[in-house]
Structures are given as structure tokens and as C-alpha cells.
């Protein structure tokens, strides 16, 4: 704050001068004391300069309404929402999220630093605060095939950028606890900043060694007791409610049952599609659900505001107090979190209107390079008739490992009602690598479904009940340079093009949503469970850091043993 | 942490290697969850490397005992405890305080940067963590006469020192809210660090303007409702329990009555004499008293540990978790906070034994320079018979302003049972300035009591019931180059020499304590109230930033109006 500005603000604070804008007669949520206090909020230059009784050049009556701080999404990936970053942020900001802590690790896995620059540049002047965590695990593990490798040396110049906050989710816990030099160079580079974790169900001693390396947060808790284990070791828990992974019920219920206020807990979405945001909200949905589960409304709001601000070191965000940025939510009803208006830097966030889509460098729209893939590459045989099966878990991104024996004398796998084929085709460097396996719990019949969004390396992943349709689906994604596609009865049913790094559409989110709805309906018709988003579920099946078993371009990988498994 | 060290620690954490030391079978206080969990604490190189079940090269059985993190004193002045910094820290560390956030503003007021260097150097290798806040108000206000002036430019080189944490208590709130350039240069210099406050009973709008300048803490709250006002504006409250100012009862009672857990509240001592530390403890006393007042023991411990660590940005202090420094307190009883042993960096703090007194640069032992002071300077006359009286408040450092009219026709003040004379004599630059006034509530009869410790400028302050003894007392302090003295019936009764900047004794704290006891007893015999420490009380009477009325070398100063008052 410039001294000249402070002098003017101070005069307003002390009643010697009118504020630009005063929100009058509100019920103001105080996240420091947990109180709700009647009063006015005085705003100048987008900054809160006083609360209490004020006069303004413009005054807006808020009688009967609540004002709470704008919400903070503590951890999300903008690219995995299919739309361009500016669109996602704009839509989510209409739902009250005014601060986004994004980890561009999808972009980085495809296009390296150019991918990170893309996210930083696209969110430069949106109607929200967007901070960036430097992706820590590109590639996610050394056994994966992605587009780029990011080292500490690559990251160092980014420290100067004020929007670069810290180190993004450290998924490769094995490298951390084993003291692998490259990983620790990154941890050391961000020594005085927040280093985000990613630590689903680590054994207690591994967890402690992981924490000792300086990792502060985790957003992968799906059970309350595990969250408590992490919390006991000093971690901050980012309770996630995204499109696929939904952890609010489990964690918040535990907090409520144990009479805990939520100290050390924040909210995040991780990966949430724009259609889900439009349907149920963004972080406001986490808050609303927490209140429904019995949490005190102000405690729930604290998890969406000040807890996150404190965790990430924002000293002017997440509260309504003098000197804080005027990022505010006007609520018609506190318990229902029914949002009337959102303010970002003291200005109303428009509820609708066209959202500008920024152009993208050409090289980021030509990233799908597959080497010599043929239908024959999808054959799956086992001399002894034994196969590994990737068993999907309802509503979770974790999987279980099963071993399946074909009928006596059979050695070639053929899909049926329960089991289908899954394949991952390397698509960055045309290496020709293709991994094939068996999956249960997906249920697709009469075709194939494929995606170039597949965490974290974003190779092409495909599930189908026949090789021809699977091959066709892959060809379609090569043709459009990335996207989602469904092939039914040997013909492409529909394709959502995602030309930006094979991850995002630049055709506008309404277009993507319309297509996506049609395609998801089709997938359900083809046998995918009604409650399941086929593309998001698919996108996690190649992520070799989540237990128990995954598919990669090099074959089936057992996460728990750290070894490749038999087909 | 070096990678090689991390690798070894991680092996211990994961049970592949024995720890140097394991504290076995303890009840471990977890400040993150509020739980008390049975288990072992594994320590290597002074760092906690695991909690749970561990084997060590050395094992110590802690059955039936509690382990909590070492306590943090969030704000104190080492120099105002009369003894050398190393002595104070060592004695307090025996009472469980393992981290000290010190503001050397007494030294700075006398000797400037040399005074700060003295505190930094003297605490370099003591058995505790000592961090330093850069004194912000030297002099406390422009109307005072001290030894040195510190500007932002003077402070800038100190930012590089890892033990310099932030900006010390900003007392001059008028300069802050008026946007005075010199003050704001200091605030800006420490923009990304903690800036401590000092804001007793500011009006609401002044308080908000003060907070808006970036000031984060206050340790001057003596009433719960005022603490809540500060807290609502986002400040962290440092609840003080020192030798003179005792605020734990008022603030903690409020927390307990309002079912608050103490979030946003920490503990400090501000100014506490070594004899009080030996008698009742240091921060452990704050914790003990808070529990007696009805606070949950773990919540009370959190105010002495993790809350302060979070406020000041220590990510490896204030908790028992992997990677945290092994600063621990072993308690025989949780509720009584009965301390069995203290560990600093994994080593037991010795309970007794001689404490080394480090030598001090010669120029810091020759700082009392008085210009032409005579007994006649103490005369107090008023043509109309009206005088201002400084009314002391029992147990508080605040004062009330009263106007007194002498009997008709009288214009020269003479002491009686209720009213005595108070004077401050400039002692840094031999300017010859002497301020004289009337004080009530002190009660001394038959002599005078004087001190070169008088916040914050540390001129010579003296109270007496006759001019001759007052003059004698001042002469005595000039002779010994600073100290405490009592004159009774025209003779020096006793003197505690404080040659280090006129603030500290280097003769050993036992010597100081013995002398001090004798002298305090004598003061009580001479009429000073039994519950009152005469020297500490005296030391605040010249501090022109605490309401309502003070004495300075330039005369009587009305803090509320910001103007000098009639004698």
C-alpha cells in the first residue's frame, strides 16, 4: 500500500472522508471471533477500510443480508475442467470463489514451462485472485511417459513471480522419504513457502517421514481417521469436493461427531467440471454441505476463508477487516449459503454475460504425437490364462488389484459384461509404447470411450469391449489433436475436441457442456453406471501414484509394490 | 535440513535405524488436534524424528509423565529484567520457556544499534531460541529525550540476520494513523514480516486505521472486551503476565466465560523480573493460571506454543511432530503444569549451576550523562495554586490525570501522606532538562527512590517526599552510572548498580536479587504499598505513550490530548 493511499484510507477509516462504497446495515461474518456483527463495510480502491458505521459516495442497503469473505479454493487444477482457465475461474467466481490456488501440473506434464506460462498468462486479469503452485512431479513418477520433465533448476526463475506461491502437490512420496536428490532439490527450493502434499493412506511412519521433509498440506484424505493421522503430524487438511472425488461428507461428519471446529482444515475442489459448478456450486457447495452435516455456519465459512489464507500466507485475504481486499459474498441466507452477489476487489462480479476466451500459442494446440499404433497392439494374451484386473471402486479414484484366470485352455482375453479392455497409448513423443489391461466396474458395451486427459501424463486412454472400436477411438483423438470421444458400433458417436494441450476446449464452455452431456448420456446407455462420470473416472486409471493398480504405456503397474504386473 | 541428514532421520522415522534418544511411554500433548496420545518421542540431532513406538540408543522412561512443546514468550524485553540477557534466558528456560521473542528497545533507546547488537550477541548461544524484533519507536515519541534515534535506513541491514524476525511494538499510534512518513518507512521495510503492536485502549476507528497499516499483534490488552475488539479486526492478542502488568486473569476469564478456545491468543511476559520468575515461573505461570481459571489444559498450552509459532512464522517450533525442534517440557502433572525437566534441542536444560556472564563493550557501561542538575531544579510552584497530579492505578501501568488546588494563597507544593514529588532528569546527552510533577498512589515517606530504568527513554526518574533526598538519589545514580537507589533520611540506604546501559547488572542475578529484596522491603517500610514493586512501577511513569498522564524531562505530558500539561 502506497503511503499516499494509506493516508486517504486512514482518513476514511477515521470518519474524516466518505468511502467510495459502503455496504450498509449488513450482518457481517467475523472469521476471527466467530461472531456475526451488525454494521456497515466501507470500501475504497477495492480494499476494506472500515467496519462499523460509515458513509459512502455510493451506499447499498444490505438489510437482512449477510456478508462473508470471498471463498478460497485451496487446491485445484484448472486444466482438468476442460475449459480455458479464464472461463473456469469466471464461472466459479460467480459462485463466490474469489481466490484460486492452482497447480498447473496437467499443462506442465504435456508442455512443460510453456504449459505453466499458459495458465499464468490466461489468469492474469480475471475477476479473482489466482495463485500458482509449481508442479512438483513432472512426470508423476519415473516409470511414466509424459511430455516434459521439470527440475528444480527449471523452476528457480519462477520464484520471483509474485503469483507463484509454493510447490505443488508432491505425489511421489517414495522419492521424498527415500531422500532422492532431485525431489529434495525442489523441496529445498521452496523451503520458505508452502509445499503441498498428496498422500493418500500412507503408512504412519512413511507419513511422518513425508511430513518431516516439510510438506504441509494434503487434499487426498477420504476418511476422517486418516485426516486425523495427518493432522496429528501437523498437516493442514484440504477437504476436497470435486466432480469425482467427494470427501466432505466423510471428513466433516467426523469433525462434527468429535465436536471439532475445523481448525487446520480447509476446502478445495481439486478437479471440478464446469457443469458441476453450474449445477451445485464450487467452494460454496463444500460450505453448504458442511452446514447440512451439522457444522456451525461460521466454522464452515472459516474453512473456506481464513484457514486457507493462514495456511498459504495471505495476510489480506479471507476476512472482513481493515486492510483486507474487498472480496466479499452477499448471502440471502447464511445456513443455505444462498449467494445474492459476489464482490471481487470491491466490484460486483457479473452473474452472466459472455466470457472472453483468450487465444493460445499455436504450439500448445499440436501436442498429440502417436507412433505406429495399430489394432493388433490391443491384443491381450497370457500363456497360463492368468490376468491382472484393475477393479474400479464406486465413487473413488482408488482401485483394487484382482487376479483373474480364464477358463481352462484359454489364453486370449475377450471382453464380457463384467470385464473390458483398457489401454494407454503414449502420445507426446511418438514412442509407440502401448499398455493394455483388463478393467472391471466400468461396464461399457458395444463400443469404446477414449480421452487424451489422463492424469498425470495425459497419454491417450481408452476402454472398450472390442479392439476395433478402441482403435477407432484413438484414431479420432489423433485426428482432433486431443479430446474425449465415444465410438459405438464401429462409428464415432461424438467427439469433444480439446485442442489446447489435449486438455482443454477453446470453443466455449457452453459448447463443451452440451457435447459432454450428450456423450455422458451415451456412455450411460452403453452400460457405464448412472452415477459415474465416464471421462473423469477414465482419466484417473493411468495415474501410477494412487493405489492399488494402474495402467501405463509400459503396462500394468502395481502402485503398492512399485512394480509392473503381469497383464 | 541437509539431504544427508534428512536421509538418516527418515531411516529412523521409518524404523530402519535407532534414534539417539527416545523418550518412552509418555503422554504426548498434540497441539494440532488437542489430544493427549500415549507414545514415544524419537529425537536425533535435536530434532523430533518420530512419535509412536521407537527404539533409541538412549531410552528414558516417561511413564506417568506428559510431554508438551517448549513454551514461547511472544514478547519480552530482556533488558528490563535488570540482569544480563543470557542470565534471564537461562533462568526462564529452566521454567520451560524455550523460545523468546525479544524487543531490545530499552537498549536501543540508550545506545542505538550498539544496544541491539549487544542483545543479539549476548543471546547467540544460550540454551533457547532467541529472536529479535527491531525496535520501532526509538524514541517512543518525538516529545521524549532518549539516547538515539533509529530510522528505517538504520534498520535495513538487519533484515539479513535470520534472528531478526520483524518490527517491534509500534507504540506511536498517532504517527501510524496520521500516515507519518518515517513511521511508514519502517512499516514498509518489514512488510512481509510480523509487525508487533502496542495499542492500549485505542478508539475503535483509530484501532482500525492502526490495523490497516499492517500491525498484527497487541500485548497491551488489560480487558477482555478490548481484546475482543482487537481480535475482531484480525489482531493476535499476546496475553501478558509480567512483574507489574498482569492481564491473564481478565483476558482468560473472558475466554472461559465465552466458551472460546484461545484461537488468536498467545502468551507473553513483556517485563518480568528474575525474582518473580524464580518465585512463580515464566510462561508456565501464564499457562498454570489459565488452567486455574478454567481453561482446558491443552488449549492453555496451545496459547503458549503453536499459536505463537503460527503468528511469528516458526514452522519447526511449538509442536511435537516430525521435523520440529526437540524443545520439550516434561510435566509430572498436566493441570498443575509441574515441570520435571526441560529439553532444548533434545538436551536437558540444567536446573542449576553457574550461569556465565558475558562481557560487555566498555562504551555500553558509560551512558549516564547529566548536565547541571541541582536541588533547586526540583522546586514545584504554581502561581494560581493549581497542579496536575499523576494518579497511579493499583496493579496497572495506566495512570489517571487529576487537578489539585493547594490551600488558598499557597503556590509552592510540599509533599504529604497522599502526594509526593516525581521528577525525570535527562541523562543521555547532558541537556540539563528536568521535568517535575506530583504523584499520588505511591506513598513513599522519609526519603526518595530513583532509577535509571524508566521506559522508554531511560532517563533518571525519582520520587520522594523531599527535594534533598531526591537530589541525593540522582547523584548516587550518576556516580554508579545507572541503577536503582533508595535514599532514607538524607543517606543512601542501598544501591543496585546497573552499569550496562544503566539498565542491567553484570554482577550476577543472585546478587541483584538479594539487593533488590532488601531494597523493596525498605521501600515498603517507607510507605510504598505492599503489593507494589516500587522500581517497576516507577519505571513506567515516564512512558509518554500510555494513558493518561506522564512525566518527561520536558514536563508533564497528557497522553490523551498529546500536549504538555501545567505542573
Amino acid at each position: 500500500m502506497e503511503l499516499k493511499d494509506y493516508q486517504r484510507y486512514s482518513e476514511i477509516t477515521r470518519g474524516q472522508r466518505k468511502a467510495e462504497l459502503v455496504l450498509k446495515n449488513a450482518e457481517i461474518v467475523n472469521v476471527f471471533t466467530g461472531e456475526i456483527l451488525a454494521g456497515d463495510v466501507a470500501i475504497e480502491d477495492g480494499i476494506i477500510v472500515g467496519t462499523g458505521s460509515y458513509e459512502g459516495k455510493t451506499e447499498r442497503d444490505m438489510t437482512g443480508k449477510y456478508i462473508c469473505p470471498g471463498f478460497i479454493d485451496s487446491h485445484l487444477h484448472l486444466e482438468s475442467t476442460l475449459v480455458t482457465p479464464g472461463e473456469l475461474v469466471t464461472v466459479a467466481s460467480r459462485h463466490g470463489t474469489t481466490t484460486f490456488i492452482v497447480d498447473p501440473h496437467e499443462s506442465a506434464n504435456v508442455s512443460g514451462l510453456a504449459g505453466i506460462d499458459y495458465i499464468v498468462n490466461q489468469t492474469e486479469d480475471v475477476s479473482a485472485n489466482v495463485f500458482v503452485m509449481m508442479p512438483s512431479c513432472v512426470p508423476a513418477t519415473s516409470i511414466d511417459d509424459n511430455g516434459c520433465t521439470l527440475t528444480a533448476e527449471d523452476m528457480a526463475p519462477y520464484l520471483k513471480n509474485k503469483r507463484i506461491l509454493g510447490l505443488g502437490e508432491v505425489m511421489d512420496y517414495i522419492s521424498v522419504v527415500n531422500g532422492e536428490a532431485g525431489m529434495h532439490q525442489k523441496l529445498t527450493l521452496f523451503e520458505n513457502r508452502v509445499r503441498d502434499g498428496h498422500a493418500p493412506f500412507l503408512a504412519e511412519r512413511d507419513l511422518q517421514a513425508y511430513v518431516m521433509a516439510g510438506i504441509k498440506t494434503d487434499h487426498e484424505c477420504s476418511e476422517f481417521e486418516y485426516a486425523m493421522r495427518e493432522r496429528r503430524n501437523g498437516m493442514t487438511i484440504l477437504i476436497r469436493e470435486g466432480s469425482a472425488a467427494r470427501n466432505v461428507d466423510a471428513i466433516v461428519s467426523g469433525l462434527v461427531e468429535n465436536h471439532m471446529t475445523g481448525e487446520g482444515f480447509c476446502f478445495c475442489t481439486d478437479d471440478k467440471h464446469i457443469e458441476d459448478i453450474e449445477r451445485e456450486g464450487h467452494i460454496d457447495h463444500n460450505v453448504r454441505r458442511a452446514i447440512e452435516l451439522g457444522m456451525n455456519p461460521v466454522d464452515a465459512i472459516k474453512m473456506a476463508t481464513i484457514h486457507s489464507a493462514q495456511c498459504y500466507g495471505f495476510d489480506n485475504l479471507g476476512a472482513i477487516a481493515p486492510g483486507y481486499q474487498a472480496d466479499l459474498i452477499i448471502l440471502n441466507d447464511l445456513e443455505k449459503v444462498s449467494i445474492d452477489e459476489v464482490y471481487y476487489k470491491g466490484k460486483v462480479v457479473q452473474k452472466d454475460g459472455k466470457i472472453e476466451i483468450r487465444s493460445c500459442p499455436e504450439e500448445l494446440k499440436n501436442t498429440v504425437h502417436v507412433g505406429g499404433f495399430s489394432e493388433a497392439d490391443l491384443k491381450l494374451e497370457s500363456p497360463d490364462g492368468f490376468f491382472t484386473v484393475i477393479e474400479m471402486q464406486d465413487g473413488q479414484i482408488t482401485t483394487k488389484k484382482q487376479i483373474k484366470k480364464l477358463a481352462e485352455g484359454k489364453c486370449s482375453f475377450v471382453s464380457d459384461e463384467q470385464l473390458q479392455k483398457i489401454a494407454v497409448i503414449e502420445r507426446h513423443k511418438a514412442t509407440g509404447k502401448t499398455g493394455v489391461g483388463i478393467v472391471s466396474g466400468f461396464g461399457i458395451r458395444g463400443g469404446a470411450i477414449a480421452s487424451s486427459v489422463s492424469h498425470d501424463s495425459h497419454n491417450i486412454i481408452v476402454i472398450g469391449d472390442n479392439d476395433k472400436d478402441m482403435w477407432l477411438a484413438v484414431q479420432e483423438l489423433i485426428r482432433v489433436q486431443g479430446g474425449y470421444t465415444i465410438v459405438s458400433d464401429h462409428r464415432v458417436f461424438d467427439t469433444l475436441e480439446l485442442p489446447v494441450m489435449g486438455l482443454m476446449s477453446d470453443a466455449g464452455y457452453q459448447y463443451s457442456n452440451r457435447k459432454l452431456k450428450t456423450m455422458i448420456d451415451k456412455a450411460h446407455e452403453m452400460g457405464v453406471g448412472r452415477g459415474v462420470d465416464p471421462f473423469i473416472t477414465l482419466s484417473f486409471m493411468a495415474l501410477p501414484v494412487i493405489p492399488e493398480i494402474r495402467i501405463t504405456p509400459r503396462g500394468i503397474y502395481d502402485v503398492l509394490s512399485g512394480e509392473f504386473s503381469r497383464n
Side-chain angles (χ1 to χ4, degrees), chain A:
Chain A
M1 197 182 289
E2 294 294 315
L3 178 55
K4 222 180 113 187
D5 293 328
Y6 173 80
Q7 286 163 339
R8 178 161 43 93
Y9 302 159
S10 179
E11 283 173 22
I12 300 167
T13 307
R14 291 180 291 149
Q16 296 163 3
R17 200 180 173 126
K18 278 191 181 181
E20 218 170 74
L21 171 67
V22 174
L23 307 179
K24 300 282 294 179
N25 311 314
E27 299 294 322
I28 306 168
V29 174
N30 190 303
V31 293
F32 298 114
T33 60
E35 298 166 305
I36 296 170
L37 300 162
D40 310 335
V41 179
I43 297 166
E44 181 85 3
D45 290 353
I47 293 168
I48 297 163
V49 293
T51 61
S53 178
Y54 283 95
E55 286 181 21
K57 292 174 196 159
T58 302
E59 298 188 348
R60 300 199 52 200
D61 185 46
M62 296 286 161
T63 301
K65 294 180 180 174
Y66 295 83
I67 307 185
C68 80
F71 295 147
I72 299 172
D73 188 342
S74 303
H75 173 76
L76 77 159
H77 305 284
L78 289 173
E79 319 94 306
S80 44
T81 61
L82 305 184
V83 301
T84 52
E87 286 177 280
L88 189 282
V89 166
T90 304
V91 171
S93 73
R94 292 169 179 174
H95 289 269
T97 306
T98 52
T99 300
F100 298 79
I101 301 174
V102 310
D103 178 348
H105 85 143
E106 320 303 346
S107 304
N109 265 287
V110 177
S111 301
L113 296 175
I116 296 170
D117 294 341
Y118 170 81
I119 299 291
V120 172
N121 294 335
Q122 293 267 326
T123 56
E124 187 111 49
D125 49 16
V126 291
S127 61
N129 314 294
V130 181
F131 297 96
V132 175
M133 303 297 279
M134 209 65 193
S136 65
C137 299
V138 179
T141 80
S142 57
I143 59 95
D144 211 356
D145 295 272
N146 75 338
C148 281
T149 296
L150 273 194
T151 65
E153 204 182 342
D154 298 324
M155 296 175 184
Y158 283 75
L159 285 178
K160 288 180 215 142
N161 186 325
K162 282 194 174 176
R163 290 175 55 210
I164 303 290
L165 261 196
L167 188 65
E169 52 178 319
V170 180
M171 291 178 285
D172 186 4
Y173 83 89
I174 302 279
S175 293
V176 174
V177 303
N178 285 337
E180 190 270 317
M183 174 54 75
H184 280 263
Q185 279 161 14
K186 297 176 206 168
L187 289 165
T188 302
L189 185 67
F190 289 89
E191 200 162 17
N192 298 315
R193 315 242 191 154
V194 176
R195 291 163 285 187
D196 275 333
H198 169 112
F201 294 109
L202 296 195
E204 180 58 28
R205 289 175 165 196
D206 285 339
L207 178 62
Q208 291 197 21
Y210 183 78
V211 166
M212 192 167 57
I215 292 163
K216 189 172 178 182
T217 71
D218 186 33
H219 57 270
E220 291 288 334
C221 295
S222 53
E223 288 179 8
F224 176 70
E225 192 36 53
Y226 184 71
M228 285 297 283
R229 272 180 50 206
E230 294 198 323
R231 188 73 201 118
R232 285 180 195 122
N233 286 304
M235 294 183 100
T236 297
I237 314 303
L238 315 180
I239 310 173
R240 170 177 58 184
E241 191 81 356
S243 286
R246 295 180 165 265
N247 309 132
V248 165
D249 280 38
I251 311 275
V252 173
S253 298
L255 292 173
V256 170
E257 278 162 27
N258 290 279
H259 310 289
M260 294 171 69
T261 58
E263 184 187 334
F265 290 78
C266 305
F267 283 133
C268 74
T269 59
D270 201 3
D271 293 292
K272 191 161 190 175
H273 275 220
I274 213 158
E275 58 163 11
D276 293 325
I277 298 174
E278 292 209 314
R279 183 172 50 79
E280 66 181 18
H282 196 241
I283 293 297
D284 58 320
H285 172 71
N286 299 38
V287 175
R288 196 175 297 118
R289 186 67 195 133
I291 297 170
E292 285 167 6
L293 291 165
M295 179 153 264
N296 169 292
V298 180
D299 285 339
I301 288 169
K302 285 170 75 172
M303 294 201 287
T305 57
I306 192 70
H307 290 187
S308 181
Q310 287 170 341
C311 178
Y312 288 92
F314 304 133
D315 55 8
N316 67 336
L317 299 178
I320 300 175
Y324 281 69
Q325 196 168 298
D327 300 343
L328 304 168
I329 306 176
I330 314 299
L331 297 170
N332 290 317
D333 184 288
L334 187 69
E335 303 234 343
K336 291 179 186 150
V337 197
S338 58
I339 296 178
D340 182 30
E341 276 184 325
V342 179
Y343 284 78
Y344 167 67
K345 290 189 177 172
K347 302 255 180 288
V348 175
V349 172
Q350 295 306 315
K351 281 182 189 166
D352 37 38
K354 200 168 153 41
I355 299 169
E356 183 214 6
I357 296 172
R358 287 186 160 208
S359 66
C360 161
E362 265 316 299
E363 68 269 25
L364 297 185
K365 296 181 81 169
N366 179 22
T367 62
V368 176
H369 312 294
V370 171
F373 170 70
S374 73
E375 197 179 318
D377 293 329
L378 295 168
K379 280 224 154 57
L380 198 53
E381 302 201 326
S382 154
D384 61 4
F386 282 94
F387 289 91
T388 303
V389 174
I390 301 170
E391 191 185 299
M392 291 180 175
Q393 305 289 299
D394 245 15
Q396 301 296 335
I397 62 173
T398 51
T399 55
K400 293 279 177 196
K401 177 180 179 175
Q402 298 289 344
I403 301 294
K404 155 99 181 165
K405 167 98 173 74
L406 296 188
E408 206 53 43
K410 301 253 180 186
C411 60
S412 183
F413 170 77
V414 180
S415 294
D416 59 26
E417 289 290 332
Q418 272 71 49
L419 304 177
Q420 290 90 38
K421 227 178 248 183
I422 186 166
V424 173
I425 299 99
E426 192 281 325
R427 66 101 164 170
H428 301 286
K429 295 170 181 169
T431 59
K433 291 181 194 169
T434 296
V436 188
I438 300 173
V439 69
S440 77
F442 196 68
I444 194 162
R445 301 296 287 151
I449 177 164
S451 171
S452 58
V453 179
S454 79
H455 302 288
D456 287 329
S457 291
H458 302 296
N459 289 303
I460 294 176
I461 188 164
V462 56
I463 296 184
D465 72 341
N466 70 86
D467 294 355
K468 181 170 181 174
D469 286 357
M470 289 173 77
W471 179 83
L472 250 173
V474 174
Q475 293 308 312
E476 171 69 359
L477 293 190
I478 296 170
R479 186 184 71 79
V480 298
Q481 280 295 301
Y484 286 172
T485 193
I486 293 183
V487 173
S488 171
D489 289 332
H490 315 320
R491 290 180 55 178
V492 172
F493 166 75
D494 206 351
T495 300
L496 170 60
E497 308 88 344
L498 301 170
V500 181
M501 293 180 266
L503 301 172
M504 286 166 271
S505 162
D506 55 359
Y509 77 90
Q510 292 92 342
Y511 171 85
S512 305
N513 275 359
R514 260 195 323 271
K515 276 232 161 169
L516 199 58
K517 275 205 184 77
T518 317
M519 290 172 74
I520 289 173
D521 286 347
K522 178 68 179 178
H524 292 153
E525 273 175 34
M526 291 169 76
V528 174
R530 289 282 156 187
V532 174
D533 181 316
F535 295 104
I536 291 183
T537 306
L538 192 58
S539 75
F540 286 109
M541 290 304 117
L543 181 56
V545 292
I546 304 258
E548 293 178 0
I549 185 90
R550 299 284 146 174
I551 179 86
T552 80
R554 303 183 200 181
I556 292 181
Y557 183 72
D558 185 321
V559 181
L560 298 179
S561 71
E563 287 173 358
F564 283 93
S565 193
R566 64 186 304 152
N567 281 348

